[in-house]
Amino acid sequence: MNEDTFSQLTAMSQHLQERASALSGQGKDNDLATLMSAQALTIEALKALGETLNKINGPLGLGAAGD
């Protein structure tokens, strides 16, 4: 994953968390708010996995990442 992908994932996660907080604060659609929050958490986990894989593969041009 590149930095642009990480930035997009971060923005999506933050947006989902903000929407979930707004919905749960209004006392409406708590189920939807819970799903949005869970999806934001899943996106953060995906981002962490991508960061770990980038560390394992190393910089572009060396080993598997450079293929």
Short mmCIF file of all heavy atoms in Angstrom, two decimals:
data_model
loop_
_atom_site.label_atom_id
_atom_site.label_comp_id
_atom_site.label_asym_id
_atom_site.label_seq_id
_atom_site.Cartn_x
_atom_site.Cartn_y
_atom_site.Cartn_z
N MET A 1 0.84 -1.18 0.00
CA MET A 1 0.00 0.00 0.00
C MET A 1 0.89 1.24 0.00
O MET A 1 1.90 1.27 0.68
CB MET A 1 -0.87 0.03 1.24
CG MET A 1 -2.03 -0.92 1.23
SD MET A 1 -3.07 -0.59 2.66
CE MET A 1 -3.94 -2.13 2.71
N ASN A 2 0.44 2.23 -0.72
CA ASN A 2 1.22 3.47 -0.75
C ASN A 2 0.60 4.51 0.20
O ASN A 2 -0.46 4.29 0.79
CB ASN A 2 1.34 4.01 -2.17
CG ASN A 2 -0.01 4.30 -2.80
OD1 ASN A 2 -0.95 4.66 -2.11
ND2 ASN A 2 -0.09 4.17 -4.11
N GLU A 3 1.25 5.65 0.33
CA GLU A 3 0.81 6.69 1.26
C GLU A 3 -0.57 7.24 0.89
O GLU A 3 -1.36 7.58 1.77
CB GLU A 3 1.83 7.82 1.31
CG GLU A 3 3.12 7.44 2.01
CD GLU A 3 2.90 6.94 3.44
OE1 GLU A 3 2.11 7.55 4.18
OE2 GLU A 3 3.51 5.91 3.79
N ASP A 4 -0.87 7.32 -0.39
CA ASP A 4 -2.18 7.80 -0.82
C ASP A 4 -3.29 6.86 -0.33
O ASP A 4 -4.33 7.31 0.15
CB ASP A 4 -2.22 7.92 -2.35
CG ASP A 4 -3.52 8.54 -2.84
OD1 ASP A 4 -3.93 9.58 -2.29
OD2 ASP A 4 -4.12 7.97 -3.77
N THR A 5 -3.04 5.57 -0.43
CA THR A 5 -4.02 4.58 0.04
C THR A 5 -4.21 4.71 1.54
O THR A 5 -5.34 4.69 2.03
CB THR A 5 -3.56 3.16 -0.32
OG1 THR A 5 -3.37 3.07 -1.73
CG2 THR A 5 -4.60 2.13 0.11
N PHE A 6 -3.11 4.86 2.29
CA PHE A 6 -3.22 5.03 3.73
C PHE A 6 -4.01 6.29 4.08
O PHE A 6 -4.83 6.28 4.99
CB PHE A 6 -1.84 5.08 4.38
CG PHE A 6 -1.13 3.76 4.42
CD1 PHE A 6 0.12 3.60 3.86
CD2 PHE A 6 -1.71 2.66 5.05
CE1 PHE A 6 0.78 2.38 3.91
CE2 PHE A 6 -1.06 1.44 5.10
CZ PHE A 6 0.19 1.30 4.52
N SER A 7 -3.78 7.36 3.35
CA SER A 7 -4.51 8.61 3.59
C SER A 7 -5.99 8.44 3.33
O SER A 7 -6.83 8.94 4.10
CB SER A 7 -3.96 9.73 2.71
OG SER A 7 -2.63 10.01 3.03
N GLN A 8 -6.34 7.76 2.25
CA GLN A 8 -7.74 7.53 1.94
C GLN A 8 -8.41 6.65 2.99
O GLN A 8 -9.55 6.92 3.40
CB GLN A 8 -7.88 6.90 0.55
CG GLN A 8 -7.56 7.84 -0.58
CD GLN A 8 -7.64 7.15 -1.94
OE1 GLN A 8 -7.99 5.98 -2.04
NE2 GLN A 8 -7.29 7.89 -2.98
N LEU A 9 -7.72 5.62 3.45
CA LEU A 9 -8.27 4.75 4.49
C LEU A 9 -8.49 5.53 5.80
O LEU A 9 -9.52 5.36 6.46
CB LEU A 9 -7.36 3.55 4.74
CG LEU A 9 -7.33 2.49 3.64
CD1 LEU A 9 -6.23 1.47 3.93
CD2 LEU A 9 -8.68 1.81 3.49
N THR A 10 -7.54 6.38 6.14
CA THR A 10 -7.67 7.19 7.35
C THR A 10 -8.86 8.12 7.25
O THR A 10 -9.65 8.24 8.19
CB THR A 10 -6.38 8.00 7.59
OG1 THR A 10 -5.29 7.09 7.76
CG2 THR A 10 -6.49 8.89 8.81
N ALA A 11 -9.01 8.78 6.10
CA ALA A 11 -10.14 9.70 5.90
C ALA A 11 -11.47 8.96 5.98
O ALA A 11 -12.42 9.45 6.61
CB ALA A 11 -9.99 10.42 4.57
N MET A 12 -11.57 7.80 5.36
CA MET A 12 -12.81 7.03 5.40
C MET A 12 -13.14 6.60 6.83
O MET A 12 -14.30 6.71 7.26
CB MET A 12 -12.71 5.79 4.51
CG MET A 12 -12.87 6.07 3.04
SD MET A 12 -13.02 4.56 2.07
CE MET A 12 -11.34 3.99 2.06
N SER A 13 -12.14 6.15 7.56
CA SER A 13 -12.34 5.70 8.92
C SER A 13 -12.82 6.86 9.80
O SER A 13 -13.77 6.71 10.58
CB SER A 13 -11.05 5.10 9.48
OG SER A 13 -11.21 4.73 10.82
N GLN A 14 -12.17 7.99 9.68
CA GLN A 14 -12.56 9.16 10.47
C GLN A 14 -13.98 9.61 10.14
O GLN A 14 -14.76 9.94 11.04
CB GLN A 14 -11.58 10.31 10.25
CG GLN A 14 -10.23 10.08 10.89
CD GLN A 14 -9.22 11.14 10.54
OE1 GLN A 14 -9.42 11.95 9.63
NE2 GLN A 14 -8.11 11.15 11.25
N HIS A 15 -14.31 9.61 8.86
CA HIS A 15 -15.66 10.02 8.43
C HIS A 15 -16.72 9.07 9.00
O HIS A 15 -17.75 9.52 9.51
CB HIS A 15 -15.73 10.06 6.90
CG HIS A 15 -17.06 10.49 6.39
ND1 HIS A 15 -17.52 11.78 6.51
CD2 HIS A 15 -18.04 9.80 5.76
CE1 HIS A 15 -18.72 11.86 5.99
NE2 HIS A 15 -19.06 10.67 5.52
N LEU A 16 -16.46 7.78 8.94
CA LEU A 16 -17.40 6.81 9.49
C LEU A 16 -17.57 6.98 10.99
O LEU A 16 -18.68 6.90 11.51
CB LEU A 16 -16.95 5.38 9.16
CG LEU A 16 -17.22 4.90 7.74
CD1 LEU A 16 -16.48 3.60 7.48
CD2 LEU A 16 -18.71 4.70 7.52
N GLN A 17 -16.47 7.22 11.70
CA GLN A 17 -16.54 7.41 13.15
C GLN A 17 -17.33 8.67 13.49
O GLN A 17 -18.13 8.67 14.42
CB GLN A 17 -15.15 7.49 13.78
CG GLN A 17 -14.50 6.16 13.99
CD GLN A 17 -15.19 5.33 15.07
OE1 GLN A 17 -16.41 5.19 15.11
NE2 GLN A 17 -14.40 4.77 15.94
N GLU A 18 -17.12 9.74 12.73
CA GLU A 18 -17.85 10.98 12.97
C GLU A 18 -19.34 10.78 12.73
O GLU A 18 -20.17 11.24 13.53
CB GLU A 18 -17.32 12.10 12.05
CG GLU A 18 -15.94 12.58 12.43
CD GLU A 18 -15.31 13.46 11.36
OE1 GLU A 18 -15.96 13.75 10.34
OE2 GLU A 18 -14.14 13.85 11.54
N ARG A 19 -19.69 10.11 11.66
CA ARG A 19 -21.10 9.84 11.36
C ARG A 19 -21.72 8.94 12.42
O ARG A 19 -22.86 9.15 12.84
CB ARG A 19 -21.24 9.19 9.99
CG ARG A 19 -20.80 10.02 8.81
CD ARG A 19 -21.88 10.83 8.26
NE ARG A 19 -23.03 9.94 8.02
CZ ARG A 19 -24.14 10.34 7.47
NH1 ARG A 19 -24.26 11.56 7.09
NH2 ARG A 19 -25.14 9.50 7.30
N ALA A 20 -20.98 7.93 12.87
CA ALA A 20 -21.48 7.03 13.89
C ALA A 20 -21.73 7.78 15.20
O ALA A 20 -22.76 7.59 15.85
CB ALA A 20 -20.50 5.88 14.12
N SER A 21 -20.81 8.66 15.56
CA SER A 21 -20.97 9.46 16.78
C SER A 21 -22.18 10.37 16.68
O SER A 21 -22.94 10.53 17.63
CB SER A 21 -19.72 10.29 17.05
OG SER A 21 -18.63 9.46 17.33
N ALA A 22 -22.36 10.98 15.51
CA ALA A 22 -23.50 11.87 15.32
C ALA A 22 -24.82 11.10 15.42
O ALA A 22 -25.77 11.57 16.05
CB ALA A 22 -23.40 12.57 13.96
N LEU A 23 -24.88 9.94 14.81
CA LEU A 23 -26.11 9.14 14.86
C LEU A 23 -26.41 8.66 16.27
O LEU A 23 -27.56 8.73 16.72
CB LEU A 23 -26.01 7.94 13.92
CG LEU A 23 -26.21 8.20 12.45
CD1 LEU A 23 -25.94 6.93 11.65
CD2 LEU A 23 -27.61 8.70 12.16
N SER A 24 -25.40 8.16 16.96
CA SER A 24 -25.65 7.64 18.31
C SER A 24 -25.96 8.77 19.28
O SER A 24 -26.71 8.57 20.23
CB SER A 24 -24.47 6.81 18.79
OG SER A 24 -23.32 7.60 18.95
N GLY A 25 -25.40 9.96 19.04
CA GLY A 25 -25.68 11.11 19.89
C GLY A 25 -27.11 11.60 19.76
O GLY A 25 -27.68 12.17 20.70
N GLN A 26 -27.71 11.40 18.60
CA GLN A 26 -29.09 11.80 18.36
C GLN A 26 -30.08 10.77 18.89
O GLN A 26 -31.27 11.03 18.94
CB GLN A 26 -29.35 11.98 16.86
CG GLN A 26 -28.55 13.07 16.22
CD GLN A 26 -28.68 13.05 14.71
OE1 GLN A 26 -29.30 12.17 14.14
NE2 GLN A 26 -28.07 14.03 14.05
N GLY A 27 -29.57 9.62 19.27
CA GLY A 27 -30.44 8.56 19.76
C GLY A 27 -31.20 7.86 18.64
O GLY A 27 -32.17 7.16 18.88
N LYS A 28 -30.74 8.06 17.42
CA LYS A 28 -31.38 7.44 16.26
C LYS A 28 -30.43 6.43 15.64
O LYS A 28 -29.22 6.58 15.70
CB LYS A 28 -31.71 8.49 15.19
CG LYS A 28 -32.67 9.55 15.63
CD LYS A 28 -32.90 10.54 14.50
CE LYS A 28 -33.86 11.63 14.91
NZ LYS A 28 -34.05 12.60 13.84
N ASP A 29 -31.00 5.44 15.03
CA ASP A 29 -30.23 4.48 14.23
C ASP A 29 -28.99 3.95 14.96
O ASP A 29 -27.89 3.94 14.42
CB ASP A 29 -29.82 5.09 12.89
CG ASP A 29 -31.00 5.42 12.01
OD1 ASP A 29 -31.97 4.64 12.02
OD2 ASP A 29 -30.95 6.44 11.30
N ASN A 30 -29.19 3.50 16.18
CA ASN A 30 -28.05 2.97 16.94
C ASN A 30 -27.42 1.76 16.27
O ASN A 30 -26.21 1.57 16.34
CB ASN A 30 -28.47 2.64 18.37
CG ASN A 30 -28.62 3.89 19.22
OD1 ASN A 30 -27.98 4.89 18.97
ND2 ASN A 30 -29.48 3.83 20.22
N ASP A 31 -28.25 0.94 15.62
CA ASP A 31 -27.70 -0.22 14.91
C ASP A 31 -26.79 0.22 13.78
O ASP A 31 -25.70 -0.32 13.59
CB ASP A 31 -28.82 -1.10 14.36
CG ASP A 31 -29.60 -1.81 15.45
OD1 ASP A 31 -29.10 -1.91 16.58
OD2 ASP A 31 -30.72 -2.26 15.16
N LEU A 32 -27.23 1.21 13.04
CA LEU A 32 -26.42 1.74 11.93
C LEU A 32 -25.14 2.37 12.46
O LEU A 32 -24.07 2.20 11.88
CB LEU A 32 -27.23 2.74 11.11
CG LEU A 32 -26.56 3.31 9.87
CD1 LEU A 32 -26.15 2.20 8.91
CD2 LEU A 32 -27.49 4.28 9.18
N ALA A 33 -25.25 3.09 13.56
CA ALA A 33 -24.06 3.71 14.17
C ALA A 33 -23.06 2.65 14.60
O ALA A 33 -21.85 2.81 14.41
CB ALA A 33 -24.48 4.57 15.36
N THR A 34 -23.54 1.56 15.15
CA THR A 34 -22.66 0.46 15.57
C THR A 34 -21.97 -0.16 14.37
O THR A 34 -20.77 -0.45 14.40
CB THR A 34 -23.45 -0.60 16.34
OG1 THR A 34 -24.05 0.01 17.48
CG2 THR A 34 -22.56 -1.74 16.78
N LEU A 35 -22.71 -0.36 13.28
CA LEU A 35 -22.11 -0.92 12.06
C LEU A 35 -21.06 0.02 11.48
O LEU A 35 -20.00 -0.42 11.03
CB LEU A 35 -23.20 -1.22 11.03
CG LEU A 35 -24.09 -2.41 11.33
CD1 LEU A 35 -25.25 -2.47 10.33
CD2 LEU A 35 -23.30 -3.69 11.31
N MET A 36 -21.35 1.31 11.47
CA MET A 36 -20.38 2.29 10.95
C MET A 36 -19.11 2.29 11.79
O MET A 36 -18.00 2.34 11.26
CB MET A 36 -20.98 3.69 10.94
CG MET A 36 -21.97 3.94 9.86
SD MET A 36 -22.56 5.64 10.00
CE MET A 36 -23.36 5.83 8.44
N SER A 37 -19.28 2.23 13.09
CA SER A 37 -18.13 2.21 13.99
C SER A 37 -17.30 0.95 13.78
O SER A 37 -16.06 1.00 13.76
CB SER A 37 -18.60 2.31 15.43
OG SER A 37 -17.52 2.37 16.30
N ALA A 38 -17.97 -0.17 13.61
CA ALA A 38 -17.27 -1.43 13.36
C ALA A 38 -16.53 -1.40 12.03
O ALA A 38 -15.40 -1.90 11.92
CB ALA A 38 -18.25 -2.60 13.38
N GLN A 39 -17.14 -0.80 11.02
CA GLN A 39 -16.47 -0.70 9.73
C GLN A 39 -15.25 0.21 9.83
O GLN A 39 -14.21 -0.07 9.23
CB GLN A 39 -17.43 -0.20 8.66
CG GLN A 39 -16.83 -0.28 7.28
CD GLN A 39 -17.85 -0.06 6.19
OE1 GLN A 39 -18.97 0.35 6.44
NE2 GLN A 39 -17.45 -0.32 4.97
N ALA A 40 -15.35 1.28 10.59
CA ALA A 40 -14.20 2.18 10.78
C ALA A 40 -13.06 1.44 11.47
O ALA A 40 -11.90 1.58 11.09
CB ALA A 40 -14.62 3.39 11.60
N LEU A 41 -13.40 0.62 12.45
CA LEU A 41 -12.40 -0.18 13.14
C LEU A 41 -11.76 -1.20 12.20
O LEU A 41 -10.54 -1.42 12.23
CB LEU A 41 -13.02 -0.88 14.34
CG LEU A 41 -12.08 -1.69 15.22
CD1 LEU A 41 -11.01 -0.79 15.82
CD2 LEU A 41 -12.88 -2.37 16.32
N THR A 42 -12.55 -1.79 11.33
CA THR A 42 -12.03 -2.75 10.35
C THR A 42 -11.08 -2.06 9.38
O THR A 42 -10.03 -2.62 9.02
CB THR A 42 -13.19 -3.41 9.59
OG1 THR A 42 -14.06 -4.06 10.53
CG2 THR A 42 -12.70 -4.43 8.58
N ILE A 43 -11.41 -0.85 8.97
CA ILE A 43 -10.53 -0.08 8.08
C ILE A 43 -9.20 0.20 8.77
O ILE A 43 -8.13 0.10 8.15
CB ILE A 43 -11.23 1.21 7.60
CG1 ILE A 43 -12.36 0.88 6.64
CG2 ILE A 43 -10.23 2.16 6.96
CD1 ILE A 43 -13.24 2.05 6.27
N GLU A 44 -9.25 0.56 10.05
CA GLU A 44 -8.01 0.81 10.80
C GLU A 44 -7.16 -0.46 10.89
O GLU A 44 -5.94 -0.41 10.79
CB GLU A 44 -8.33 1.35 12.19
CG GLU A 44 -8.83 2.77 12.19
CD GLU A 44 -7.82 3.76 11.64
OE1 GLU A 44 -6.63 3.66 11.97
OE2 GLU A 44 -8.23 4.63 10.85
N ALA A 45 -7.82 -1.61 11.07
CA ALA A 45 -7.09 -2.88 11.12
C ALA A 45 -6.45 -3.18 9.76
O ALA A 45 -5.31 -3.66 9.69
CB ALA A 45 -8.02 -4.01 11.54
N LEU A 46 -7.17 -2.91 8.69
CA LEU A 46 -6.63 -3.11 7.35
C LEU A 46 -5.43 -2.21 7.11
O LEU A 46 -4.42 -2.64 6.54
CB LEU A 46 -7.72 -2.83 6.31
CG LEU A 46 -7.31 -2.93 4.85
CD1 LEU A 46 -6.90 -4.35 4.50
CD2 LEU A 46 -8.46 -2.48 3.96
N LYS A 47 -5.52 -0.98 7.57
CA LYS A 47 -4.41 -0.05 7.44
C LYS A 47 -3.19 -0.55 8.21
O LYS A 47 -2.06 -0.51 7.70
CB LYS A 47 -4.85 1.32 7.95
CG LYS A 47 -3.88 2.42 7.67
CD LYS A 47 -4.47 3.74 8.12
CE LYS A 47 -3.50 4.40 9.02
NZ LYS A 47 -3.94 5.55 9.73
N ALA A 48 -3.39 -1.04 9.42
CA ALA A 48 -2.29 -1.57 10.22
C ALA A 48 -1.66 -2.78 9.55
O ALA A 48 -0.44 -2.94 9.54
CB ALA A 48 -2.78 -1.92 11.63
N LEU A 49 -2.49 -3.63 8.98
CA LEU A 49 -1.99 -4.80 8.26
C LEU A 49 -1.15 -4.37 7.06
O LEU A 49 -0.08 -4.92 6.81
CB LEU A 49 -3.15 -5.68 7.80
CG LEU A 49 -2.80 -6.96 7.05
CD1 LEU A 49 -1.94 -7.87 7.90
CD2 LEU A 49 -4.07 -7.67 6.62
N GLY A 50 -1.62 -3.37 6.32
CA GLY A 50 -0.86 -2.86 5.18
C GLY A 50 0.48 -2.29 5.60
O GLY A 50 1.49 -2.50 4.92
N GLU A 51 0.51 -1.57 6.72
CA GLU A 51 1.76 -1.01 7.22
C GLU A 51 2.74 -2.12 7.59
O GLU A 51 3.93 -2.04 7.28
CB GLU A 51 1.50 -0.10 8.42
CG GLU A 51 0.81 1.19 8.05
CD GLU A 51 0.34 1.99 9.26
OE1 GLU A 51 0.33 1.44 10.39
OE2 GLU A 51 -0.04 3.15 9.06
N THR A 52 2.22 -3.16 8.23
CA THR A 52 3.07 -4.30 8.60
C THR A 52 3.61 -5.01 7.36
O THR A 52 4.80 -5.34 7.30
CB THR A 52 2.29 -5.29 9.48
OG1 THR A 52 1.83 -4.61 10.65
CG2 THR A 52 3.15 -6.47 9.87
N LEU A 53 2.76 -5.22 6.38
CA LEU A 53 3.21 -5.87 5.15
C LEU A 53 4.26 -5.03 4.43
O LEU A 53 5.21 -5.57 3.86
CB LEU A 53 2.03 -6.15 4.22
CG LEU A 53 1.10 -7.27 4.68
CD1 LEU A 53 -0.12 -7.35 3.77
CD2 LEU A 53 1.83 -8.59 4.71
N ASN A 54 4.10 -3.71 4.45
CA ASN A 54 5.10 -2.85 3.83
C ASN A 54 6.45 -2.99 4.52
O ASN A 54 7.50 -2.98 3.88
CB ASN A 54 4.65 -1.39 3.85
CG ASN A 54 3.61 -1.09 2.77
OD1 ASN A 54 3.35 -1.91 1.89
ND2 ASN A 54 3.01 0.07 2.85
N LYS A 55 6.43 -3.13 5.85
CA LYS A 55 7.68 -3.31 6.60
C LYS A 55 8.32 -4.66 6.27
O LYS A 55 9.53 -4.77 6.13
CB LYS A 55 7.43 -3.21 8.09
CG LYS A 55 7.13 -1.81 8.55
CD LYS A 55 6.83 -1.79 10.04
CE LYS A 55 6.38 -0.42 10.48
NZ LYS A 55 5.98 -0.41 11.90
N ILE A 56 7.50 -5.69 6.16
CA ILE A 56 8.01 -7.03 5.86
C ILE A 56 8.61 -7.08 4.46
O ILE A 56 9.69 -7.63 4.25
CB ILE A 56 6.89 -8.09 6.00
CG1 ILE A 56 6.51 -8.26 7.46
CG2 ILE A 56 7.33 -9.43 5.40
CD1 ILE A 56 5.27 -9.11 7.68
N ASN A 57 7.91 -6.49 3.48
CA ASN A 57 8.38 -6.52 2.11
C ASN A 57 9.57 -5.62 1.87
O ASN A 57 10.33 -5.84 0.93
CB ASN A 57 7.25 -6.12 1.15
CG ASN A 57 6.20 -7.19 1.02
OD1 ASN A 57 6.46 -8.36 1.22
ND2 ASN A 57 4.99 -6.78 0.70
N GLY A 58 9.74 -4.60 2.67
CA GLY A 58 10.86 -3.68 2.49
C GLY A 58 10.57 -2.66 1.41
O GLY A 58 9.51 -2.63 0.80
N PRO A 59 11.55 -1.79 1.16
CA PRO A 59 11.35 -0.73 0.16
C PRO A 59 11.24 -1.30 -1.25
O PRO A 59 11.75 -2.39 -1.53
CB PRO A 59 12.58 0.15 0.33
CG PRO A 59 13.58 -0.71 0.99
CD PRO A 59 12.85 -1.72 1.80
N LEU A 60 10.57 -0.54 -2.11
CA LEU A 60 10.45 -0.95 -3.51
C LEU A 60 11.84 -1.13 -4.13
O LEU A 60 12.75 -0.38 -3.85
CB LEU A 60 9.65 0.08 -4.31
CG LEU A 60 8.17 0.16 -3.98
CD1 LEU A 60 7.53 1.29 -4.78
CD2 LEU A 60 7.49 -1.15 -4.28
N GLY A 61 11.95 -2.14 -4.95
CA GLY A 61 13.22 -2.42 -5.62
C GLY A 61 14.04 -3.50 -4.93
O GLY A 61 15.02 -3.97 -5.47
N LEU A 62 13.63 -3.88 -3.75
CA LEU A 62 14.35 -4.93 -3.01
C LEU A 62 13.39 -6.07 -2.72
O LEU A 62 12.32 -5.89 -2.17
CB LEU A 62 14.91 -4.42 -1.69
CG LEU A 62 15.93 -3.28 -1.79
CD1 LEU A 62 16.29 -2.80 -0.40
CD2 LEU A 62 17.18 -3.75 -2.51
N GLY A 63 13.73 -7.26 -3.06
CA GLY A 63 12.93 -8.42 -2.73
C GLY A 63 11.57 -8.44 -3.38
O GLY A 63 11.37 -7.93 -4.47
N ALA A 64 10.59 -9.02 -2.68
CA ALA A 64 9.25 -9.25 -3.24
C ALA A 64 8.55 -7.95 -3.62
O ALA A 64 7.81 -7.91 -4.59
CB ALA A 64 8.40 -10.01 -2.24
N ALA A 65 8.74 -6.88 -2.85
CA ALA A 65 8.04 -5.62 -3.15
C ALA A 65 8.51 -5.00 -4.45
O ALA A 65 7.82 -4.21 -5.06
CB ALA A 65 8.23 -4.64 -2.01
N GLY A 66 9.71 -5.34 -4.88
CA GLY A 66 10.25 -4.77 -6.11
C GLY A 66 9.97 -5.57 -7.34
O GLY A 66 10.32 -5.19 -8.46
N ASP A 67 9.33 -6.72 -7.20
CA ASP A 67 9.04 -7.58 -8.35
C ASP A 67 8.00 -6.97 -9.24
O ASP A 67 7.12 -6.32 -8.87
CB ASP A 67 8.56 -8.97 -7.90
CG ASP A 67 9.70 -9.77 -7.29
OD1 ASP A 67 10.86 -9.39 -7.50
OD2 ASP A 67 9.41 -10.76 -6.61
#
